[in-house]
Amino acid sequence: MAFKTPEGEELFQQAYSNNLKRWNVSYEILNIPTTYGSTHIIASGETKLPPVIMLHGAGMGSTIWYANIESLSKIRRVYAVDAIGDMNKSEPLRSISDPEDMGKWMAEILDHLGIEKTDFIGHSAGGYITLNIATSIQTRINKMVLLAPAASFVPFYKQFFLRLAFINAIRRKGFIQRFFCNWFIAKGNTIDNEVFDQFIYGVMHYKWKVKPVIPKVIPKEKLETIQIPTLLLMGEKEVIYNPRRALTQAKASIPHIKTMMLPNTSHCLFIEDAKKVNESIINFLHKDPSCELDSIVMSANVQEV
């Protein structure tokens, strides 16, 4: 990892460790060599279970899955991957900003792990990466779950870029927490401020070595090639784009997709309402792939769209 100062690196490393302490399951750390750099992975769940790859949102790293890992590791061998080129513990050599490189990078990881085919779960930028992996190495994916994928289906609101510009100009911890991190949480919901320390110290102290992944709208003709059973979850209070437009566009683009809107949640839906998100994911992953997606039984409080 590259940081501007040793002190900044220490703050980031401590925040990463503190978030990993929130994992209430056993885990092991893997560092997998790839053409794009050493990829840091947190693995949990029995090795005999079917695998799932989890890809985090921008700036947070794999520790962010603390509210989901206990439930998911009961049914899957979870590989929570620190995306190359982001603020985490992977050591980048080359960028995966090009969609083809995302697929090649992930194929190398799967080959190293001895995984022929797996499920995927991606949040925000991790959802965007998952979609690009699906268009590149589709035969290696069983099912995929997208949690508020960044851009992908519709453009970001301009406010997102404005807030991003402000926190990069005013790099003060309290300001970043209030102006940016808290913006992703629906009113009335709470997430410990300390969870975002990892992101904040990354913004303040990380020195970029390669071009990061910058999500954008994926052409409809590329999305139409995806034949993978897909579950898309979004919060009704989403702030980075219009969630209903995104759901509509997703249904018009991916043939085998189930879309769901979770009430009283925003961009951090997988933490804000972890119980419903975990339940929805587990029901979807356990469903016989030969059955119709529309027959999936979900929580009565979740709005199917």
Side-chain angles (χ1 to χ4, degrees):
M1 289 183 290
F3 288 86
K4 298 170 185 175
T5 66
E7 294 79 14
E9 180 175 10
E10 184 178 352
L11 287 169
F12 177 87
Q13 295 279 14
Q14 186 60 57
Y16 193 104
S17 296
N18 289 343
N19 276 344
L20 192 50
K21 290 175 183 177
R22 297 175 185 271
W23 283 40
N24 52 359
V25 296
S26 60
Y27 60 85
E28 60 180 304
I29 301 299
L30 309 175
N31 288 288
I32 295 180
T34 73
T35 303
Y36 301 87
S38 178
T39 301
H40 182 267
I41 297 175
I42 311 170
S44 189
E46 296 184 18
T47 56
K48 66 181 180 182
L49 292 172
V52 63
I53 300 292
M54 300 186 75
L55 292 167
H56 59 84
M60 284 308 306
S62 294
T63 58
I64 197 62
W65 298 113
Y66 68 89
N68 318 103
I69 188 62
E70 181 177 13
S71 294
L72 294 178
S73 63
K74 290 177 181 178
I75 66 159
R76 290 290 186 272
R77 171 65 169 175
V78 177
Y79 296 96
V81 178
D82 274 358
I84 283 283
D86 203 347
M87 303 182 296
N88 52 48
K89 288 198 172 186
S90 288
E91 298 281 358
L93 295 175
R94 293 173 52 192
S95 173
I96 61 166
S97 59
D98 183 278
E100 289 186 5
D101 287 319
M102 297 178 200
K104 292 176 182 177
W105 166 67
M106 184 52 62
E108 290 185 28
I109 292 172
L110 296 181
D111 289 345
H112 187 96
L113 293 172
I115 296 172
E116 182 60 33
K117 206 166 185 178
T118 182
D119 298 318
F120 275 78
I121 301 171
H123 170 248
S124 196
Y128 172 76
I129 293 172
T130 296
L131 281 166
N132 281 288
I133 290 171
T135 65
S136 180
I137 54 169
Q138 185 163 177
T139 58
R140 305 198 69 169
I141 303 178
N142 285 318
K143 294 183 179 183
M144 63 179 180
V145 178
L146 307 173
L147 305 172
S152 302
F153 303 111
V154 294
F156 289 115
Y157 284 143
K158 290 181 180 178
Q159 184 178 177
F160 171 75
F161 294 107
L162 177 66
R163 288 177 181 266
L164 198 59
F166 265 101
I167 66 168
N168 278 283
I170 307 172
R171 300 190 180 197
R172 294 200 297 267
K173 188 173 185 289
F175 174 77
I176 297 172
Q177 178 74 56
R178 294 189 303 272
F179 188 73
F180 196 76
C181 300
N182 291 350
W183 182 57
F184 293 110
I185 307 167
K187 187 176 181 180
N189 295 337
T190 58
I191 297 175
D192 288 347
N193 283 351
E194 290 78 10
V195 168
F196 295 104
D197 283 356
Q198 185 178 320
F199 171 81
I200 293 170
Y201 290 134
V203 170
M204 294 172 66
H205 302 290
Y206 189 76
K207 183 166 64 175
W208 298 96
K209 294 176 66 177
V210 299
K211 181 181 178 181
V213 172
I214 302 175
K216 57 186 177 181
V217 175
I218 301 171
K220 188 171 185 284
E221 56 268 25
K222 286 192 71 174
L223 294 172
E224 288 174 338
T225 67
I226 298 175
Q227 299 297 317
I228 301 163
T230 303
L231 175 64
L232 171 60
L233 299 178
M234 288 192 182
E236 66 170 354
K237 306 294 185 182
E238 178 59 73
V239 292
I240 67 170
Y241 48 52
N242 185 316
R244 294 199 174 274
R245 274 193 60 204
L247 291 182
T248 299
Q249 187 62 28
K251 291 182 75 172
S253 302
I254 298 179
H256 306 291
I257 192 169
K258 182 74 174 180
T259 62
M260 310 190 75
M261 188 86 77
L262 273 66
N264 305 315
T265 61
S266 185
H267 197 60
C268 294
L269 69 161
F270 63 105
I271 303 175
E272 295 174 84
D273 198 344
K275 182 179 179 181
K276 285 196 183 79
V277 169
N278 293 341
E279 176 186 272
S280 299
I281 292 174
I282 290 169
N283 285 345
F284 174 72
L285 294 182
H286 271 180
K287 190 69 180 179
D288 184 339
S290 65
C291 296
E292 290 294 326
L293 287 180
D294 284 341
S295 67
I296 295 175
V297 178
M298 296 292 184
S299 168
N301 292 327
V302 178
Q303 302 172 16
E304 298 189 29
V305 182

